[in-house]
Amino acid sequence: MTVLVPILGDQLSHALASLQGCAKNDTIVLMMEVAEEATHVRHHKAKIALIFSAMRHFAAELRADGWQVDYIGLDDPENSNSFTGEVIRAAQRHAPRLIRVVEPGDWRVEQAMLDWQTFTPCPVEILPDSRFLCSRDEFAGWAAGRKELRMEFFYREMRRRTGLLMDGKDPVGGKWNYDAENRSGPPPGLKGPPLPSFAPDGITAEVIDLVEAHFADHFGALDRFNWPVTAGEAELAASAFLAERLPTFGQWQDAMVRGQDFLFHAVLSPAINLGLLDPIDLCRRAEAEYRAGRAPLAAVEGFIRQLIGWREYIRGVYWLEMPGLAEDNFLEANRPLPDFYWTGQTDMACLADCVRTTRDNAYAHHIQRLMVLGNFALLAGIKPQEVADWFLVVYADAFDWVELPNVAGMALFADGGRLASKPYAASGAYIDRMSNYCGSCRYKVKLKTGPDACPFNSLYWHFVDRNAAKLSRNMRLANPYATWRRMDESKRAEYLASAEAFLQQLQPADAGWARQHQEERSPC
Ligand SMILES: Cc1cc2nc3c(=O)[nH]c(=O)nc-3n(C[C@H](O)[C@H](O)[C@H](O)COP(=O)(O)OP(=O)(O)OC[C@H]3O[C@@H](n4cnc5c(N)ncnc54)[C@H](O)[C@@H]3O)c2cc1C
Ligand code: SF4
């Protein structure tokens, strides 16, 4: 009797805990392409293609390495189209003595996994995901008893634990965080180097056809598909980033340039989240670039903070706050998602460009997500669950554990400040400072109210005013509230009327973009 090792689509690491200690001749690895996962929200076509292609390549690598792999394709006529259904069928086929699996990244999937034991007589062992630095239990221990959670303090612990950028007990350079040096707006003509290209091979081409056949009406384009689908390709992408973009990653980290979709960002999050790259190894290599004098400290510290700080912290918060986080709506925001999040058809040049890169690449960088797409949803009071569905659908790197806290906690303050100390709300002036969007926009960023004024300006004060009861005592918002109170009554009324007029003409999106209408739902 064998051990059955189910491996999910974002667990594509040869060092996965469930494979460790298993004998190749006594183990069946189970991999499953199931419609339930591809359609529980209607994921971007490129995201489905990426995951299925990476899974197929990983299965081939395992077989070449001597593992026995039972691979269930989407088109398999017997496919039950759910993880649970496939594990039951595989248990019947192989009669294993043990089912050994790594915990998933999604609360919903974990609930299903916890039920597997009721369907099979053999024990089901669920292992912690050792690809993270901080386990769920360790994070809960760190958070216990703290009045508020702050990434910065968690991050320092991770620096001490890993020794990354440490000189003994002290941070290299004497400071933990060099974020203040990483906020330059873009000079005219700022351009990032081209990304390495990964032309689709036979497996990827086949998967792209499959996605076009089954998910033709999902959001997004496939013609620019350029994601690394193996650990080898991901390594090429990582090496190119470390050599060509890391040195300027920090300086232009917050900059946005129309039509420049990647600038100096890593563009590695899909590969990291799927398990094709080890984030700690990346951090060590980034530190080596600093130690060798090839990249400045502010850039390297910024990159390492994103990975061992934000990424680990976000995951810890997800497991601490689920399932409540998915329902949180501290600011009682109930407006439906506007249709331009799907169509890109809006006169707001910043939003139009961010939706375009999202559609073309299944990617937008952090500041586009936070300060344009997220900021607009925050200011306009869009319902967090609709915003979260959109973010989960559209990005190649979006998995529930990382998408939801970023959207509900960081972008929308829907958790009331458990993740971040204040809402990331900003008017048009911020977007103008950090981008070249406003010059080509039909709205005027310097105008505060009226039909030609940048909508972010009046929406900002509408947000401040309508949330005063909940936010005005937040010390970090003392300045905006003092300014609002000092403002002339007629000026305030003008802002509010201008914002209301703008909000009135927003067209709500059809909810079917993100989730299939119930009556249409069918396996592919
Ligand atoms: C509203 C919103 C939604 C987001 N949704 C996702 C998501 O679904 N999946 C996802 O991986 N990231 C998400 N992020 C975080 C971040 O925007 C992306 O990780 C980043 O844009 C990926 O591009 P990159 O690889 O070029 O990252 P870089 O900017 O080059 O950063 C390097 C790496 O740091 C990590 N990282 C940076 N910031 C974060 C963060 N806040 N949370 C977790 N990891 C981080 C990523 O692994 C990333 O690859 C979201 C952020 C916001 C504000
Ligand atoms: S003017 Fe306003 S809406 Fe237009 S690009 Fe600038 S910030 Fe965006």
Side-chain angles (χ1 to χ4, degrees), residues 15 51 179 268 372 392 395 433:
I51 296 173
D179 204 25
L268 294 176
V372 178
L392 185 59
Y395 292 114
R433 191 164 65 250

Side-chain angles (χ1 to χ4, degrees), residues 273-285:
N273 294 349
L274 291 183
L276 303 179
L277 287 172
D278 171 2
I280 308 308
D281 174 62
L282 274 177
C283 289
R284 297 219 181 280
R285 290 165 66 189

Side-chain angles (χ1 to χ4, degrees), residues 249 265-269 272-273 303 306-307 310-311 314 363-366 369-370 391 397-399 402-403 406-407 410-411:
F249 166 80
H265 290 270
V267 201
L268 294 176
S269 48
I272 296 170
N273 294 349
F303 180 68
Q306 307 308 317
L307 283 167
W310 277 112
R311 187 170 182 272
I314 285 282
Y363 177 88
H365 68 67
H366 186 69
R369 296 189 205 194
L370 183 63
F391 273 94
D397 60 21
F399 296 89
V402 57
E403 172 271 327
N406 270 303
V407 172
M410 193 184 300

